[in-house]
Amino acid sequence: MPAKSQYELDREANIAKNRALFEDLGLKDAVKSLGTSKTSKTAAKPVQPKRVKRERPEVEAPRRQSRRLLSKGHADPDETPEERKIREGLQQKELERQEEERLEAEERARMAKRPRHDVLNFKTLVEENEPQEISQLSTTMQSVIQTSRRVGDPEAFTFSEESKHNAEVKSLREEVRNLKVVSRAKVTINRVYCAAYHPEVTKDLIFFGDKHGQLGIWDARAPPDEEAEDDDVAPENREGGKYWRLQLHWPASPKSSISTIKLDPIDSHNLYTSSYDCTIRSTSFVSGISKEVYATQDGILITSLDLPPDGHEMWISDGAGGITHLDLRQDKSKARRYALSDAKIGSISVNPTRPNFLLTASNSRFLKIWDTRKLQNIPVSLLGKDAISKDESGRPLFDFESNIIEKHFGSANGKGGFRGEFRHEKSASSSYWDPRGRQIVSTSYDDRIRIWDIDSAAFKTDNLFPNVKPFCQIKHNCQTGKWLTILRAQWSPNPDCYPHFTVGNMDHSLDIYSSKGELITQLSDRTMISAVQAVTCSHPSIIERAASGNASGRCILWAPASVGLNS
């Protein structure tokens, strides 16, 4: 046994001295609390605050009551047979009423947990606890000029001289480097998941989708209402512009998060939203109506959607590794689904200048390029009569499994359906075509932003692309964790300016990069921004405009300081 140290000997002597003193004073309980000379191996843990689980309000159904106890409780030993018959009849009616109420309450509770598939008007979609001026929203949207989506030229900005590239980059840097926070507001109640910038040039009209299925519509430079001004708040801290909130997807929970917002390419008064409630809705600001255009079967999660410039079709990616083609001119029962991956496909992008080329990014770490013409010509006969599944109403569902697709791609008619792939080191969170349809930008959990430049000649054959490797890789922290929206690099949709993209930064800035991977600028303001600007988007026509949103629903408009509000 090792010898005790001088500290331990002194400690034991003090304990013995105190014990003798307490015994002389008659304090036996204090003696017991002195302990022994053995030291505790574990430190005392601090008291943790008790966490109270938030209870969700539920519809309480009336409880069933025993017929036997009910009759005994009201029985009168002196009642006549006629009185007994009347009493039992009343009791029977009461039991039937209670049973009807119970069934109605159960049905309401069941329907409240299901996504909303009905046609809904704006009065139904606004927040019940915060009445809003829907008439103002209608007036704002009716003043917007009808526009269609513009696409770029595949050969634009393809200079052979490096000096011309440098000149374009310098010009772009001069235009965006001085963008400031000119307006900010809490547009949505919960975390921003996605955003889209309206092409209107007289307003900065931006749409944000949040974690609980809410669509925030922000007229960022609109003059505030006079009665809404607060004299106690400094002008620079007041909310800018006007915003409206529509609960497009229901119930208002994380199961209804809006994953994508896309403006209709041929009707700027209409937009599409996809949601984790497994539905896609079309919302018209002319009619004030929101309706469902598609819903998946068996609870398959919808992760993303995109539309070609003609606006007649839609491509949808899902959490089961499939993509779906939907012709918006036909009934949704005509949709065809293709299983392209064993893992979730989180991003899908249609080439704007060559709409038959499709880009997908998945949790399998792969970015892949497909020719949709080869997918759509797969014979339905390959499914077989027994393989064609049906939905709840008995309509056929055309779901092509991976083995059928591989067999078709191996045939003469399917040659060229798969054009190339690139494997990231970790999950590929997003990948998008630029407005010219020749460059690709992707983000990944391996903390890299990658850029591809595909020569136009590669699109003209059915052969695999000769080289699907990025020409540029940028180190970028993409470790957002579970409380922040995944960072996605978004191309500026403006086809008239030098190609560039925006992406959020974990250091609370909004980064702008050129198509060559050069950092153009980092937009930040430590005095007004203290959160990660995870979601970004750019104006389709004005270079000096960008918007961003964070995890609290607060959104930012970046523009020249001279713009300000109401200018």
mmCIF file of all heavy atoms in Angstrom, residues 442-450 473-480 487-489 501-507 509-513 519 522 532-533:
data_model
loop_
_atom_site.group_PDB
_atom_site.id
_atom_site.type_symbol
_atom_site.label_atom_id
_atom_site.label_comp_id
_atom_site.label_asym_id
_atom_site.label_seq_id
_atom_site.Cartn_x
_atom_site.Cartn_y
_atom_site.Cartn_z
ATOM 1 N N SER A 442 -21.693 22.981 -57.923
ATOM 2 C CA SER A 442 -22.219 22.041 -56.932
ATOM 3 C C SER A 442 -21.662 22.372 -55.559
ATOM 4 O O SER A 442 -20.573 22.944 -55.428
ATOM 5 C CB SER A 442 -21.855 20.592 -57.299
ATOM 6 O OG SER A 442 -20.504 20.305 -56.970
ATOM 7 N N THR A 443 -22.421 22.010 -54.517
ATOM 8 C CA THR A 443 -21.962 22.114 -53.130
ATOM 9 C C THR A 443 -22.033 20.736 -52.510
ATOM 10 O O THR A 443 -22.848 19.899 -52.904
ATOM 11 C CB THR A 443 -22.822 23.096 -52.322
ATOM 12 O OG1 THR A 443 -24.210 22.782 -52.516
ATOM 13 C CG2 THR A 443 -22.574 24.523 -52.748
ATOM 14 N N SER A 444 -21.170 20.503 -51.524
ATOM 15 C CA SER A 444 -21.093 19.178 -50.914
ATOM 16 C C SER A 444 -20.682 19.299 -49.461
ATOM 17 O O SER A 444 -20.062 20.294 -49.041
ATOM 18 C CB SER A 444 -20.093 18.303 -51.679
ATOM 19 O OG SER A 444 -19.830 17.094 -50.983
ATOM 20 N N TYR A 445 -20.999 18.264 -48.692
ATOM 21 C CA TYR A 445 -20.585 18.215 -47.292
ATOM 22 C C TYR A 445 -19.086 17.987 -47.140
ATOM 23 O O TYR A 445 -18.574 17.989 -46.017
ATOM 24 C CB TYR A 445 -21.353 17.102 -46.566
ATOM 25 C CG TYR A 445 -22.750 17.495 -46.183
ATOM 26 C CD1 TYR A 445 -23.852 16.914 -46.809
ATOM 27 C CD2 TYR A 445 -22.985 18.435 -45.202
ATOM 28 C CE1 TYR A 445 -25.142 17.274 -46.464
ATOM 29 C CE2 TYR A 445 -24.277 18.799 -44.841
ATOM 30 C CZ TYR A 445 -25.347 18.213 -45.476
ATOM 31 O OH TYR A 445 -26.623 18.574 -45.132
ATOM 32 N N ASP A 446 -18.378 17.777 -48.243
ATOM 33 C CA ASP A 446 -16.927 17.656 -48.155
ATOM 34 C C ASP A 446 -16.247 19.018 -48.157
ATOM 35 O O ASP A 446 -15.030 19.129 -48.327
ATOM 36 C CB ASP A 446 -16.371 16.781 -49.282
ATOM 37 C CG ASP A 446 -16.634 17.358 -50.669
ATOM 38 O OD1 ASP A 446 -17.058 18.524 -50.765
ATOM 39 O OD2 ASP A 446 -16.424 16.636 -51.655
ATOM 40 N N ASP A 447 -17.055 20.086 -47.968
ATOM 41 C CA ASP A 447 -16.550 21.462 -47.847
ATOM 42 C C ASP A 447 -15.841 21.923 -49.116
ATOM 43 O O ASP A 447 -14.760 22.533 -49.065
ATOM 44 C CB ASP A 447 -15.613 21.594 -46.641
ATOM 45 C CG ASP A 447 -16.344 21.421 -45.318
ATOM 46 O OD1 ASP A 447 -17.574 21.618 -45.302
ATOM 47 O OD2 ASP A 447 -15.701 21.076 -44.309
ATOM 48 N N ARG A 448 -16.473 21.643 -50.244
ATOM 49 C CA ARG A 448 -15.956 22.085 -51.529
ATOM 50 C C ARG A 448 -17.108 22.608 -52.391
ATOM 51 O O ARG A 448 -18.197 22.033 -52.418
ATOM 52 C CB ARG A 448 -15.258 20.953 -52.281
ATOM 53 C CG ARG A 448 -13.963 20.457 -51.671
ATOM 54 C CD ARG A 448 -12.845 21.476 -51.814
ATOM 55 N NE ARG A 448 -11.557 20.912 -51.424
ATOM 56 C CZ ARG A 448 -11.118 20.827 -50.177
ATOM 57 N NH1 ARG A 448 -11.892 21.248 -49.177
ATOM 58 N NH2 ARG A 448 -9.925 20.332 -49.914
ATOM 59 N N ILE A 449 -16.854 23.713 -53.070
ATOM 60 C CA ILE A 449 -17.723 24.170 -54.153
ATOM 61 C C ILE A 449 -16.985 23.854 -55.446
ATOM 62 O O ILE A 449 -15.812 24.214 -55.598
ATOM 63 C CB ILE A 449 -18.003 25.679 -54.052
ATOM 64 C CG1 ILE A 449 -18.760 26.001 -52.759
ATOM 65 C CG2 ILE A 449 -18.808 26.162 -55.257
ATOM 66 C CD1 ILE A 449 -18.968 27.490 -52.532
ATOM 67 N N ARG A 450 -17.654 23.172 -56.363
ATOM 68 C CA ARG A 450 -17.005 22.754 -57.599
ATOM 69 C C ARG A 450 -17.714 23.385 -58.804
ATOM 70 O O ARG A 450 -18.943 23.551 -58.784
ATOM 71 C CB ARG A 450 -17.005 21.232 -57.724
ATOM 72 C CG ARG A 450 -16.151 20.542 -56.662
ATOM 73 C CD ARG A 450 -16.303 19.018 -56.750
ATOM 74 N NE ARG A 450 -15.381 18.330 -55.863
ATOM 75 C CZ ARG A 450 -15.608 18.070 -54.576
ATOM 76 N NH1 ARG A 450 -16.761 18.464 -54.028
ATOM 77 N NH2 ARG A 450 -14.719 17.433 -53.842
ATOM 78 N N GLN A 473 -12.127 23.936 -57.862
ATOM 79 C CA GLN A 473 -12.647 23.526 -56.560
ATOM 80 C C GLN A 473 -12.314 24.605 -55.538
ATOM 81 O O GLN A 473 -11.163 25.028 -55.427
ATOM 82 C CB GLN A 473 -12.055 22.184 -56.124
ATOM 83 C CG GLN A 473 -12.391 21.026 -57.052
ATOM 84 C CD GLN A 473 -12.043 19.683 -56.456
ATOM 85 O OE1 GLN A 473 -12.264 19.459 -55.264
ATOM 86 N NE2 GLN A 473 -11.529 18.783 -57.269
ATOM 87 N N ILE A 474 -13.341 25.056 -54.813
ATOM 88 C CA ILE A 474 -13.178 26.144 -53.846
ATOM 89 C C ILE A 474 -13.441 25.593 -52.442
ATOM 90 O O ILE A 474 -14.483 24.963 -52.193
ATOM 91 C CB ILE A 474 -14.172 27.285 -54.135
ATOM 92 C CG1 ILE A 474 -14.043 27.743 -55.589
ATOM 93 C CG2 ILE A 474 -13.943 28.448 -53.181
ATOM 94 C CD1 ILE A 474 -15.182 28.645 -56.035
ATOM 95 N N LYS A 475 -12.516 25.831 -51.531
ATOM 96 C CA LYS A 475 -12.745 25.438 -50.142
ATOM 97 C C LYS A 475 -13.822 26.337 -49.539
ATOM 98 O O LYS A 475 -13.730 27.559 -49.620
ATOM 99 C CB LYS A 475 -11.456 25.547 -49.332
ATOM 100 C CG LYS A 475 -10.414 24.496 -49.684
ATOM 101 C CD LYS A 475 -9.212 24.605 -48.747
ATOM 102 C CE LYS A 475 -8.189 23.536 -49.061
ATOM 103 N NZ LYS A 475 -7.014 23.618 -48.146
ATOM 104 N N HIS A 476 -14.834 25.706 -48.944
ATOM 105 C CA HIS A 476 -15.946 26.483 -48.379
ATOM 106 C C HIS A 476 -16.598 25.653 -47.275
ATOM 107 O O HIS A 476 -16.985 24.500 -47.501
ATOM 108 C CB HIS A 476 -16.974 26.802 -49.462
ATOM 109 C CG HIS A 476 -17.961 27.855 -49.072
ATOM 110 N ND1 HIS A 476 -17.677 29.204 -49.112
ATOM 111 C CD2 HIS A 476 -19.231 27.770 -48.613
ATOM 112 C CE1 HIS A 476 -18.726 29.892 -48.716
ATOM 113 N NE2 HIS A 476 -19.686 29.044 -48.391
ATOM 114 N N ASN A 477 -16.729 26.217 -46.102
ATOM 115 C CA ASN A 477 -17.320 25.508 -44.967
ATOM 116 C C ASN A 477 -18.804 25.276 -45.205
ATOM 117 O O ASN A 477 -19.591 26.228 -45.234
ATOM 118 C CB ASN A 477 -17.106 26.312 -43.674
ATOM 119 C CG ASN A 477 -17.602 25.571 -42.445
ATOM 120 O OD1 ASN A 477 -18.107 24.452 -42.525
ATOM 121 N ND2 ASN A 477 -17.449 26.187 -41.288
ATOM 122 N N CYS A 478 -19.189 24.021 -45.375
ATOM 123 C CA CYS A 478 -20.598 23.664 -45.605
ATOM 124 C C CYS A 478 -21.193 22.877 -44.445
ATOM 125 O O CYS A 478 -22.242 22.232 -44.597
ATOM 126 C CB CYS A 478 -20.725 22.854 -46.898
ATOM 127 S SG CYS A 478 -20.249 23.747 -48.390
ATOM 128 N N GLN A 479 -20.544 22.893 -43.277
ATOM 129 C CA GLN A 479 -21.015 22.135 -42.118
ATOM 130 C C GLN A 479 -22.073 22.935 -41.359
ATOM 131 O O GLN A 479 -21.815 23.530 -40.321
ATOM 132 C CB GLN A 479 -19.840 21.781 -41.217
ATOM 133 C CG GLN A 479 -18.720 21.027 -41.909
ATOM 134 C CD GLN A 479 -19.197 19.736 -42.535
ATOM 135 O OE1 GLN A 479 -19.935 18.961 -41.914
ATOM 136 N NE2 GLN A 479 -18.787 19.477 -43.768
ATOM 137 N N THR A 480 -23.275 22.939 -41.889
ATOM 138 C CA THR A 480 -24.346 23.744 -41.297
ATOM 139 C C THR A 480 -24.964 23.090 -40.065
ATOM 140 O O THR A 480 -25.553 23.783 -39.239
ATOM 141 C CB THR A 480 -25.456 23.979 -42.336
ATOM 142 O OG1 THR A 480 -25.898 22.712 -42.849
ATOM 143 C CG2 THR A 480 -24.944 24.829 -43.477
ATOM 144 N N LEU A 487 -26.330 24.874 -47.178
ATOM 145 C CA LEU A 487 -25.822 25.906 -48.081
ATOM 146 C C LEU A 487 -25.866 25.397 -49.521
ATOM 147 O O LEU A 487 -25.403 24.297 -49.822
ATOM 148 C CB LEU A 487 -24.382 26.286 -47.716
ATOM 149 C CG LEU A 487 -24.147 26.834 -46.298
ATOM 150 C CD1 LEU A 487 -22.694 27.241 -46.141
ATOM 151 C CD2 LEU A 487 -25.066 28.004 -46.003
ATOM 152 N N ARG A 488 -26.424 26.217 -50.413
ATOM 153 C CA ARG A 488 -26.493 25.873 -51.834
ATOM 154 C C ARG A 488 -26.022 27.073 -52.652
ATOM 155 O O ARG A 488 -26.540 28.172 -52.486
ATOM 156 C CB ARG A 488 -27.922 25.499 -52.236
ATOM 157 C CG ARG A 488 -28.443 24.229 -51.582
ATOM 158 C CD ARG A 488 -29.868 23.933 -52.034
ATOM 159 N NE ARG A 488 -30.339 22.648 -51.573
ATOM 160 C CZ ARG A 488 -30.972 22.438 -50.430
ATOM 161 N NH1 ARG A 488 -31.209 23.472 -49.631
ATOM 162 N NH2 ARG A 488 -31.368 21.228 -50.077
ATOM 163 N N ALA A 489 -25.059 26.836 -53.521
ATOM 164 C CA ALA A 489 -24.589 27.901 -54.406
ATOM 165 C C ALA A 489 -25.625 28.118 -55.504
ATOM 166 O O ALA A 489 -26.020 27.176 -56.187
ATOM 167 C CB ALA A 489 -23.241 27.519 -55.013
ATOM 168 N N PHE A 501 -22.266 33.399 -59.098
ATOM 169 C CA PHE A 501 -23.223 32.777 -58.178
ATOM 170 C C PHE A 501 -23.011 33.301 -56.763
ATOM 171 O O PHE A 501 -21.948 33.830 -56.420
ATOM 172 C CB PHE A 501 -23.124 31.248 -58.215
ATOM 173 C CG PHE A 501 -21.766 30.687 -57.852
ATOM 174 C CD1 PHE A 501 -21.410 30.461 -56.530
ATOM 175 C CD2 PHE A 501 -20.840 30.371 -58.844
ATOM 176 C CE1 PHE A 501 -20.173 29.936 -56.195
ATOM 177 C CE2 PHE A 501 -19.601 29.845 -58.527
ATOM 178 C CZ PHE A 501 -19.262 29.623 -57.193
ATOM 179 N N THR A 502 -24.064 33.156 -55.952
ATOM 180 C CA THR A 502 -24.020 33.555 -54.539
ATOM 181 C C THR A 502 -24.110 32.315 -53.662
ATOM 182 O O THR A 502 -24.720 31.304 -54.043
ATOM 183 C CB THR A 502 -25.184 34.499 -54.194
ATOM 184 O OG1 THR A 502 -26.431 33.818 -54.458
ATOM 185 C CG2 THR A 502 -25.126 35.769 -55.018
ATOM 186 N N VAL A 503 -23.533 32.388 -52.482
ATOM 187 C CA VAL A 503 -23.603 31.282 -51.525
ATOM 188 C C VAL A 503 -23.413 31.848 -50.122
ATOM 189 O O VAL A 503 -22.671 32.812 -49.917
ATOM 190 C CB VAL A 503 -22.530 30.205 -51.840
ATOM 191 C CG1 VAL A 503 -21.116 30.780 -51.698
ATOM 192 C CG2 VAL A 503 -22.723 28.965 -50.968
ATOM 193 N N GLY A 504 -24.107 31.278 -49.164
ATOM 194 C CA GLY A 504 -23.974 31.708 -47.787
ATOM 195 C C GLY A 504 -22.643 31.290 -47.197
ATOM 196 O O GLY A 504 -22.009 30.331 -47.648
ATOM 197 N N ASN A 505 -22.231 32.005 -46.162
ATOM 198 C CA ASN A 505 -20.966 31.731 -45.499
ATOM 199 C C ASN A 505 -21.227 31.577 -44.004
ATOM 200 O O ASN A 505 -21.989 32.360 -43.426
ATOM 201 C CB ASN A 505 -19.980 32.883 -45.764
ATOM 202 C CG ASN A 505 -18.565 32.578 -45.308
ATOM 203 O OD1 ASN A 505 -18.334 32.191 -44.177
ATOM 204 N ND2 ASN A 505 -17.619 32.780 -46.201
ATOM 205 N N MET A 506 -20.577 30.597 -43.365
ATOM 206 C CA MET A 506 -20.773 30.378 -41.933
ATOM 207 C C MET A 506 -20.258 31.548 -41.105
ATOM 208 O O MET A 506 -20.536 31.634 -39.911
ATOM 209 C CB MET A 506 -20.070 29.083 -41.512
ATOM 210 C CG MET A 506 -20.647 27.826 -42.159
ATOM 211 S SD MET A 506 -22.372 27.532 -41.730
ATOM 212 C CE MET A 506 -22.212 27.045 -40.013
ATOM 213 N N ASP A 507 -19.538 32.460 -41.739
ATOM 214 C CA ASP A 507 -19.027 33.649 -41.054
ATOM 215 C C ASP A 507 -19.984 34.835 -41.202
ATOM 216 O O ASP A 507 -19.564 35.996 -41.128
ATOM 217 C CB ASP A 507 -17.648 34.012 -41.615
ATOM 218 C CG ASP A 507 -16.901 34.985 -40.710
ATOM 219 O OD1 ASP A 507 -17.139 34.975 -39.491
ATOM 220 O OD2 ASP A 507 -16.100 35.773 -41.237
ATOM 221 N N SER A 509 -21.552 36.076 -43.766
ATOM 222 C CA SER A 509 -21.483 36.912 -44.963
ATOM 223 C C SER A 509 -22.186 36.223 -46.121
ATOM 224 O O SER A 509 -22.504 35.033 -46.067
ATOM 225 C CB SER A 509 -20.030 37.207 -45.335
ATOM 226 O OG SER A 509 -19.380 36.019 -45.765
ATOM 227 N N LEU A 510 -22.424 36.976 -47.185
ATOM 228 C CA LEU A 510 -22.937 36.438 -48.437
ATOM 229 C C LEU A 510 -21.806 36.567 -49.453
ATOM 230 O O LEU A 510 -21.333 37.677 -49.725
ATOM 231 C CB LEU A 510 -24.174 37.208 -48.890
ATOM 232 C CG LEU A 510 -24.904 36.693 -50.139
ATOM 233 C CD1 LEU A 510 -26.384 37.053 -50.072
ATOM 234 C CD2 LEU A 510 -24.311 37.301 -51.410
ATOM 235 N N ASP A 511 -21.352 35.427 -49.986
ATOM 236 C CA ASP A 511 -20.208 35.418 -50.897
ATOM 237 C C ASP A 511 -20.677 35.394 -52.342
ATOM 238 O O ASP A 511 -21.639 34.696 -52.678
ATOM 239 C CB ASP A 511 -19.320 34.207 -50.635
ATOM 240 C CG ASP A 511 -18.706 34.228 -49.242
ATOM 241 O OD1 ASP A 511 -18.852 35.257 -48.550
ATOM 242 O OD2 ASP A 511 -18.092 33.219 -48.852
ATOM 243 N N ILE A 512 -19.974 36.140 -53.188
ATOM 244 C CA ILE A 512 -20.256 36.160 -54.622
ATOM 245 C C ILE A 512 -18.997 35.710 -55.363
ATOM 246 O O ILE A 512 -17.918 36.282 -55.161
ATOM 247 C CB ILE A 512 -20.687 37.556 -55.103
ATOM 248 C CG1 ILE A 512 -21.932 38.026 -54.330
ATOM 249 C CG2 ILE A 512 -20.965 37.549 -56.598
ATOM 250 C CD1 ILE A 512 -22.416 39.414 -54.720
ATOM 251 N N TYR A 513 -19.149 34.665 -56.198
ATOM 252 C CA TYR A 513 -18.032 34.119 -56.967
ATOM 253 C C TYR A 513 -18.320 34.242 -58.462
ATOM 254 O O TYR A 513 -19.473 34.161 -58.899
ATOM 255 C CB TYR A 513 -17.812 32.640 -56.637
ATOM 256 C CG TYR A 513 -17.186 32.373 -55.287
ATOM 257 C CD1 TYR A 513 -17.981 32.203 -54.159
ATOM 258 C CD2 TYR A 513 -15.813 32.268 -55.150
ATOM 259 C CE1 TYR A 513 -17.420 31.945 -52.918
ATOM 260 C CE2 TYR A 513 -15.235 32.012 -53.909
ATOM 261 C CZ TYR A 513 -16.038 31.850 -52.807
ATOM 262 O OH TYR A 513 -15.471 31.592 -51.575
ATOM 263 N N LEU A 519 -13.329 34.866 -56.094
ATOM 264 C CA LEU A 519 -14.171 35.545 -55.116
ATOM 265 C C LEU A 519 -14.340 37.007 -55.532
ATOM 266 O O LEU A 519 -13.375 37.764 -55.563
ATOM 267 C CB LEU A 519 -13.553 35.457 -53.720
ATOM 268 C CG LEU A 519 -14.332 36.165 -52.600
ATOM 269 C CD1 LEU A 519 -15.712 35.547 -52.436
ATOM 270 C CD2 LEU A 519 -13.549 36.106 -51.290
ATOM 271 N N GLN A 522 -17.354 39.683 -50.544
ATOM 272 C CA GLN A 522 -18.067 39.116 -49.398
ATOM 273 C C GLN A 522 -18.907 40.229 -48.778
ATOM 274 O O GLN A 522 -18.359 41.199 -48.252
ATOM 275 C CB GLN A 522 -17.098 38.545 -48.362
ATOM 276 C CG GLN A 522 -16.436 37.237 -48.779
ATOM 277 C CD GLN A 522 -15.590 36.648 -47.671
ATOM 278 O OE1 GLN A 522 -14.852 37.350 -47.002
ATOM 279 N NE2 GLN A 522 -15.704 35.346 -47.478
ATOM 280 N N VAL A 532 -26.074 33.343 -39.767
ATOM 281 C CA VAL A 532 -25.639 32.810 -41.059
ATOM 282 C C VAL A 532 -26.717 33.072 -42.104
ATOM 283 O O VAL A 532 -27.886 32.728 -41.918
ATOM 284 C CB VAL A 532 -25.361 31.302 -40.961
ATOM 285 C CG1 VAL A 532 -25.000 30.730 -42.331
ATOM 286 C CG2 VAL A 532 -24.255 31.026 -39.959
ATOM 287 N N GLN A 533 -26.320 33.683 -43.217
ATOM 288 C CA GLN A 533 -27.239 33.938 -44.331
ATOM 289 C C GLN A 533 -27.242 32.693 -45.224
ATOM 290 O O GLN A 533 -26.614 32.646 -46.281
ATOM 291 C CB GLN A 533 -26.800 35.177 -45.100
ATOM 292 C CG GLN A 533 -26.715 36.431 -44.252
ATOM 293 C CD GLN A 533 -28.045 36.776 -43.605
ATOM 294 O OE1 GLN A 533 -29.032 37.068 -44.286
ATOM 295 N NE2 GLN A 533 -28.100 36.728 -42.280
#
